[in-house]
Amino acid sequence: MPKKPQDGTQDERTGRLKQIRMVASLVHQANPKAMPIVFASALGTLVVFVVLGLVLGQELFLIPLGVLVALLVGMIVFSQMAQRTQYAMLEGRPGAAASLVENMRGRWVVTPAVQANRNMDVVHRVVGVPGVILLSEGPRSRVGKLIGAEKKRISRAASEVPIYDIQVGSEEGQIPISKLQRHLTKLPRNLKKEQVSELIDRLNALPQAMQMPKGPIPKGVRMPKGPKPRTR
């Protein structure tokens, strides 16, 4: 007998449920009060619709509607809690800013760690419709030199394209990683898609600087020291 085709939809649903359970577990570990808040918000919404349905005599309409709205409210609150957990996990980890921008919607071309030092302070280069964006991670007292070095390196290739430097961190004047995506989306749209592609080609033609692996790097890791110059 011919075999029945595998149901890809069922596998996809199973995969989504596993992902949701995994995220819920991470959220609960980071904040034990988070999931009760999610359930309470959904249940509270449902109770409001049930009460309105009984008072107005429209329970056959409002109660099913309340179930749908309660699920939607629960999903929204859960999404917000999951996002906060993600930011908390990324906070203070080298490479976190680059990893976050790489997952943003739209065309954001990220080159991680175009400048770095032994203290794991890094500068990432991002190219998008605003122009060139240099994202630094590290204390303000140390990242200034790295940003200046990268600006000097790309100044000719960038030509008249705007160059923004954004320091990511918790110090005064820095952008917290939880607000980074919103800050980037508020930048002006200075370039068209064709100009973005041309700019990327020009920057890629520059000699490559030392780069670090993509994604956040565990805390406590230090940059390897370079070879010492030989003395004659």
Side-chain angles (χ1 to χ4, degrees), residues 55-131:
V55 171
L56 300 176
Q58 298 290 331
E59 59 270 17
L60 294 180
F61 170 72
L62 289 178
I63 292 179
L65 179 62
V67 173
L68 296 177
V69 176
L71 290 174
L72 179 60
V73 170
M75 290 175 62
I76 292 174
V77 176
F78 176 73
S79 177
Q80 292 176 344
M81 294 294 182
Q83 192 173 53
R84 291 178 185 177
T85 301
Q86 179 190 21
Y87 292 145
M89 294 174 64
L90 291 176
E91 188 74 34
R93 298 181 63 185
S99 177
L100 196 65
V101 177
E102 285 177 331
N103 293 317
M104 287 178 60
R105 293 181 179 179
R107 191 180 186 190
W108 302 90
V109 181
V110 182
T111 305
V114 291
Q115 296 287 338
N117 59 25
R118 295 175 182 175
N119 295 311
M120 297 301 291
D121 306 322
V122 293
V123 173
H124 313 292
R125 189 181 69 221
V126 181
V127 180
V129 289

Side-chain angles (χ1 to χ4, degrees), residues 142-227:
R142 296 199 301 249
V143 297
K145 293 182 179 179
L146 297 177
I147 294 173
E150 183 60 16
K151 280 187 177 180
K152 182 178 180 180
R153 193 176 78 91
I154 67 174
S155 57
R156 290 186 179 180
S159 186
E160 298 180 356
V161 173
I163 300 178
Y164 301 90
D165 61 88
I166 300 175
Q167 295 191 18
V168 181
S170 57
E171 295 183 6
E172 184 178 356
Q174 295 184 330
I175 303 296
I177 196 167
S178 59
K179 298 181 180 180
L180 177 59
Q181 291 181 328
R182 184 181 302 176
H183 185 82
L184 292 178
T185 55
K186 290 183 178 180
L187 294 177
R189 302 173 66 87
N190 298 311
L191 304 178
K192 298 180 180 179
K193 292 183 179 180
E194 298 79 10
Q195 293 174 310
V196 172
S197 299
E198 293 175 1
L199 177 59
I200 293 172
D201 292 338
R202 293 200 303 269
L203 293 175
N204 287 339
L206 294 173
Q208 291 188 357
M210 177 189 64
Q211 294 185 11
M212 297 164 58
K214 293 185 178 181
I217 297 175
K219 294 182 179 179
V221 178
R222 297 181 62 86
M223 292 290 290
K225 296 182 179 180

